[in-house]
Amino acid sequence: MNTEWMSQAKCKDMDPDVFFPSDGVGVQVAQRVCLVCPVKLPCLEYALAHRVHEGVWGGTSERERRRLVRHRRSTTVTTAAATAATTATAATAATGATEATTATAATGATGATEATTTSAVSLPARDPQPAGRH
Ligand code: SF4
């Protein structure tokens, strides 16, 4: 992985202990430095790619990176499932289109007859005129 970004790091001349805090206040101090760092994203990606669990990297705490990794995993799984579903749908559509057209044509042919029949049968069954309107 490319590490040229490290030469532009806002923290390059700082005490590394600042970025390995022991409490939440320390995390916030480090995150304030990261906030104005021009290489925040490559720094975060580096930590994620190298599974760096300790310290503040790319403006994220250890807990935030764990959450991010979980989210990315679930997104990747969802995307993979969606791709598989799309592929299956496309395959079904390719073969099912003919079946659907045939089924519609068959239903349409019998349905028209049924509709005519139903209409013929149901026409006389109209609501009676209200009394006194003749
Ligand atoms: S984002 Fe933070 S930890 Fe990463 S290089 Fe910049 S200042 Fe350092």
Side-chain angles (χ1 to χ4, degrees):
M1 183 173 217
N2 183 350
T3 54
E4 286 177 25
W5 57 270
M6 289 183 179
S7 64
Q8 300 170 50
K10 200 77 175 169
C11 60
K12 70 178 179 187
D13 298 322
M14 293 180 70
D15 180 358
D17 287 348
V18 171
F19 296 87
F20 295 92
S22 58
D23 60 11
V25 175
V27 168
Q28 289 175 349
V29 168
Q31 286 178 324
R32 267 187 238 124
V33 178
C34 297
L35 198 62
V36 292
C37 179
V39 292
K40 199 164 43 176
L41 281 179
C43 175
L44 174 59
E45 290 302 330
Y46 179 88
L48 294 173
H50 291 85
R51 299 168 194 257
V52 182
H53 301 297
E54 292 81 29
V56 173
W57 291 75
T60 61
S61 67
E62 297 162 10
R63 183 180 298 169
E64 290 167 334
R65 284 199 306 284
R66 277 196 302 272
R67 250 186 245 137
L68 193 55
V69 166
R70 274 197 304 270
H71 176 73
R72 282 186 176 184
R73 266 193 217 129
S74 68
T75 305
T76 304
V77 169
T78 305
T79 305
T83 304
T86 304
T87 306
T89 303
T92 304
T95 58
T98 309
E99 291 168 16
T101 305
T102 306
T104 305
T107 306
T110 57
T113 307
E114 286 169 16
T116 305
T117 306
T118 303
S119 178
V121 170
S122 64
L123 275 176
R126 300 176 93 179
D127 290 337
Q129 290 289 324
R133 288 214 171 184
H134 297 276

